[in-house]
Amino acid sequence: MASAATRAAKPGLLLLRRTDATFTAALRARFRIHDFYASGAPLPAFLTAAAAEADPPRAALVLAGGAIQVDAAFLDAVPSLGCVVTTGAGVDHVDLAQCARRGVVVACAGEIFSVDVADHAVGLLIGVLRRVAAADRYVRAGLWPAQGNYPLTTKLSGKRVGIIGLGSIGSRIAKRLQAFGCAISYHSRAPKASVPYRYFPDVHALAADSDALIVACALNDATRRIVGRRVLDALGPEGVLVNIARGGNVDEQELVLALQDGRIAGAGLDVFQNEPHVPPELGDMDNVVLTAHEAVFTEESAADLRELMIGNLEAFFSGKPLLTPVLSRP
Amino acid sequence: MASAATRAAKPGLLLLRRTDATFTAALRARFRIHDFYASGAPLPAFLTAAAAEADPPRAALVLAGGAIQVDAAFLDAVPSLGCVVTTGAGVDHVDLAQCARRGVVVACAGEIFSVDVADHAVGLLIGVLRRVAAADRYVRAGLWPAQGNYPLTTKLSGKRVGIIGLGSIGSRIAKRLQAFGCAISYHSRAPKASVPYRYFPDVHALAADSDALIVACALNDATRRIVGRRVLDALGPEGVLVNIARGGNVDEQELVLALQDGRIAGAGLDVFQNEPHVPPELGDMDNVVLTAHEAVFTEESAADLRELMIGNLEAFFSGKPLLTPVLSRP
């Protein structure tokens, strides 16, 4: 009886992402779960059914970068909803204006990913300049004894690095690369107060003044394909591109052409326009390092994220301020 | 006539390394070259012939890490010698005591390589923890769409990094990894004044207290196989090893066993015991990054080194202090 009472007392949660066994157990221990992927229902039917319950769910946990948009239709379908927690650092999949109108608070992953993304960005940059992955292939193929020393690679230290987007991730990349003796410049909507780096109001001018260009901005209408043919040509035949933001920030077709023509020197890419599909032309290039949209996540940050998601939900249900709010109650 | 006089006026130089066309031309413009590799003679005969000339060579340019040792026999063969310039940062191939006895000054490459080695060490560390090369293989093999997301990797930021040898290279690695939020400790013969890092007089204790162990010391009797089974076991199943020092600093057989048994988590290796041969067992491991003793050198540092070698030789022949002396005239 106590167990049933406890179960009944658990607050309802719409679960709109797949979770592993550990996280699922942690959520079930605290919340009454409406699991979209387990339901097998289409999204509107799933939401309507959940909303029709006697104690309808007041919070939703959603995945960033997935197909589900928390828009007016979503919010209308579950009027009981008061809180949306997303696993993303960005919230382009949540309509904040519609949430604000309905008094729905929103929490995101905060800066939990920024450190890992910044670390990975530096790994890709060194990987491209020093040909780490290509040399690893060379050694594994037995070519060192057969063909002699690997060709000389390119120095990182002292290079001019241009960062597009000096937010939580970009500023951490800057800090890391400063320690390598790189000269940091950046482009963003407006210059940041209290950073020692040179600001470029124009991304083309930033690329022209950079040996390496790192894309670290959010994806929105202003930054979609911010790196296109003109910017790549400004970066030039000695320049390398690193993208750890979103595939949509770069014109991928132009990037492939620039690499094929030698109009830029190389690229380190963690994100692509049509993931998990990667342009096959890149697979033959030794001046390219390719990883599978994994900059954002390590074992350690996955655990941190699970804790933070639960912390935000518990804060909401107990009437406390969210831990990492994007939108708070006014 | 003027040309012949100029040629005659050029000081003689023993050249004991292979040089590319650019460097050879730069040397020939300044010095009368006795080229060992072009001579085809055995070393003693080559040295004796050079010493028998009317104006015997007073300087030698030697390669570090090659087969040639500048020892008592070498120095005895060419009594005219007053200066040895080596392309290495280390001078284990030059007998400094014998040079000092004969008043022969010695110059090395100074810290010219340190920056590139430090950069590469960080690249290997990120490469191992974040599986950059392995993920690159995964993407190139088309496995992302076929098998889904690449498994989660390991965070760098915040890790405890132990550095063996806090010299010119080790201290630069420390500076870089501090910017990643790593906690730096080190082992060396004696604690360094004015560094903020924790000192371990015992390398085993350092390994036990580290998530990543980076070998950055010189190779000598005290550091040969400084990383053996006991140190690897202290590093433990979550720990990774990076070696950018010399293959001889690590017991390679024990390293392979530790990786095979999962007694350490991974390794990033630029140097090997029997280069260019790499233990074939390593070629099948995804938790290992292998590069071909290339940390030390980039296009940029190669150019810097050529300038420095010539600068040291010109300084010697014009009676000025060496630019990067290991042993100066008393």
Side-chain angles (χ1 to χ4, degrees):
Chain A
M1 288 299 285
S3 167
T6 312
R7 257 204 307 281
K10 283 182 196 164
L13 172 69
L14 290 177
L15 180 62
L16 294 143
R17 58 164 294 182
R18 296 179 201 280
T19 52
D20 63 19
T22 312
F23 193 36
T24 306
L27 289 171
R28 288 198 184 281
R30 293 163 177 85
F31 312 111
R32 191 163 31 86
I33 304 293
H34 301 262
D35 188 335
F36 170 58
Y37 288 99
S39 75
L43 185 62
F46 167 76
L47 295 176
T48 306
E53 295 213 347
D55 179 16
R58 293 196 293 129
L61 180 59
V62 301
L63 178 70
I68 295 172
Q69 300 286 320
V70 181
D71 52 14
F74 185 112
L75 296 164
D76 285 344
V78 195
S80 56
L81 216 60
C83 173
V84 173
V85 175
T86 169
T87 57
V91 287
D92 42 312
H93 55 299
V94 180
D95 188 328
L96 294 181
Q98 293 291 341
C99 287
R101 276 188 50 194
R102 290 162 172 83
V104 174
V105 298
V106 179
C108 70
E111 302 200 344
I112 222 165
F113 304 119
S114 306
V115 160
D116 282 338
V117 178
D119 290 355
H120 199 81
V122 176
L124 289 178
L125 181 56
I126 302 178
V128 173
L129 293 177
R130 304 299 302 270
R131 298 277 192 275
V132 177
D136 179 272
R137 281 196 297 276
Y138 186 85
V139 171
R140 282 172 200 253
L143 296 178
W144 191 7
Q147 300 185 8
N149 287 340
Y150 192 77
L152 292 187
T153 61
T154 305
K155 199 182 200 80
L156 169 59
S157 184
K159 287 284 186 292
R160 300 167 303 160
V161 177
I163 302 176
I164 303 177
L166 201 72
S168 165
I169 293 169
S171 59
R172 283 176 167 85
I173 295 173
K175 180 189 163 200
R176 283 155 176 70
L177 289 175
Q178 267 200 304
F180 288 79
C182 295
I184 311 292
S185 301
Y186 71 105
H187 165 75
S188 57
R189 276 164 302 183
K192 311 271 174 187
S194 79
V195 301
Y197 317 123
R198 186 166 167 211
Y199 174 68
F200 282 83
D202 173 51
V203 70
H204 180 267
L206 176 71
D209 200 62
S210 296
D211 302 308
L213 190 64
I214 302 183
V215 190
C217 55
L219 179 61
N220 53 45
D221 289 342
T223 64
R224 200 173 305 278
R225 301 202 176 184
I226 190 167
V227 176
R229 186 182 181 103
R230 204 169 142 261
V231 168
L232 291 168
D233 282 341
L235 182 57
E238 307 284 316
V240 301
L241 179 78
V242 168
N243 189 7
I244 45 70
R246 288 286 181 272
N249 291 118
V250 173
D251 186 327
E252 200 167 77
Q253 204 174 336
E254 285 294 345
L255 174 61
V256 169
L257 288 173
L259 285 163
Q260 285 177 325
D261 298 350
R263 284 183 288 114
I264 70 168
L269 305 171
D270 184 56
V271 291
F272 303 88
Q273 227 156 275
N274 185 27
E275 294 170 7
H277 300 284
V278 174
E281 299 90 338
L282 298 177
D284 298 325
M285 297 179 184
D286 267 0
N287 55 341
V288 163
V289 181
L290 308 167
T291 56
H293 203 145
E294 63 198 66
V296 72
F297 231 38
T298 56
E299 292 278 3
E300 291 87 340
S301 64
D304 293 345
L305 179 64
R306 287 192 292 265
E307 269 178 44
L308 183 66
M309 297 296 98
I310 289 174
N312 271 304
L313 290 167
E314 289 186 326
F316 168 73
F317 284 121
S318 57
K320 292 182 189 153
L322 298 178
L323 304 179
T324 44
V326 182
L327 189 66
S328 304
R329 205 151 297 173
Chain B
M1 288 298 286
S3 167
T6 312
R7 257 204 309 280
K10 282 183 195 163
L13 174 69
L14 289 177
L15 180 61
L16 294 142
R17 57 166 294 183
R18 296 178 201 279
T19 52
D20 63 21
T22 313
F23 194 35
T24 305
L27 290 172
R28 287 197 184 282
R30 292 164 178 85
F31 312 111
R32 190 162 34 83
I33 304 291
H34 301 263
D35 188 334
F36 170 58
Y37 288 99
S39 76
L43 185 61
F46 166 76
L47 294 176
T48 305
E53 296 214 348
D55 179 18
R58 293 196 294 128
L61 181 58
V62 303
L63 178 72
I68 295 172
Q69 299 286 319
V70 182
D71 52 14
F74 185 114
L75 295 164
D76 285 342
V78 196
S80 56
L81 215 62
C83 174
V84 173
V85 175
T86 170
T87 58
V91 287
D92 42 313
H93 54 300
V94 180
D95 188 327
L96 293 182
Q98 293 292 340
C99 288
R101 276 187 51 193
R102 291 161 172 82
V104 174
V105 298
V106 179
C108 71
E111 302 199 346
I112 221 165
F113 305 119
S114 307
V115 161
D116 282 338
V117 178
D119 290 354
H120 199 81
V122 176
L124 288 178
L125 181 56
I126 303 177
V128 173
L129 293 176
R130 304 300 300 271
R131 297 279 192 273
V132 177
D136 179 272
R137 281 197 297 277
Y138 187 84
V139 171
R140 284 174 198 251
L143 297 178
W144 191 7
Q147 299 185 8
N149 288 340
Y150 192 78
L152 291 186
T153 61
T154 305
K155 199 183 202 78
L156 168 59
S157 185
K159 287 285 186 292
R160 300 167 303 160
V161 177
I163 301 176
I164 303 177
L166 202 71
S168 166
I169 294 170
S171 59
R172 283 175 167 86
I173 296 173
K175 180 189 163 201
R176 282 155 176 70
L177 289 175
Q178 267 200 305
F180 288 80
C182 294
I184 311 292
S185 301
Y186 71 104
H187 165 75
S188 57
R189 274 164 303 183
K192 310 269 174 187
S194 77
V195 300
Y197 318 122
R198 185 166 168 213
Y199 174 69
F200 282 83
D202 173 52
V203 70
H204 180 267
L206 176 71
D209 199 62
S210 297
D211 302 307
L213 190 63
I214 302 183
V215 191
C217 56
L219 179 61
N220 53 46
D221 288 343
T223 64
R224 199 173 306 278
R225 303 202 175 184
I226 190 167
V227 176
R229 186 181 181 106
R230 205 169 143 261
V231 169
L232 291 168
D233 282 341
L235 182 58
E238 307 283 316
V240 299
L241 179 77
V242 168
N243 188 7
I244 45 72
R246 289 285 181 275
N249 292 119
V250 173
D251 186 327
E252 201 165 77
Q253 203 175 337
E254 284 295 345
L255 173 61
V256 169
L257 288 173
L259 286 163
Q260 285 177 326
D261 297 351
R263 284 183 287 115
I264 70 168
L269 305 172
D270 185 56
V271 290
F272 304 88
Q273 226 155 275
N274 185 26
E275 295 171 8
H277 300 284
V278 174
E281 300 90 338
L282 299 177
D284 299 325
M285 297 180 184
D286 267 359
N287 55 341
V288 162
V289 181
L290 308 167
T291 56
H293 202 146
E294 63 199 66
V296 71
F297 231 38
T298 56
E299 292 277 3
E300 291 87 340
S301 64
D304 293 347
L305 179 64
R306 287 192 294 265
E307 270 178 44
L308 183 66
M309 297 295 100
I310 288 173
N312 271 304
L313 290 167
E314 289 186 325
F316 167 71
F317 284 119
S318 56
K320 291 181 188 152
L322 298 178
L323 304 179
T324 45
V326 182
L327 189 65
S328 304
R329 205 152 296 173

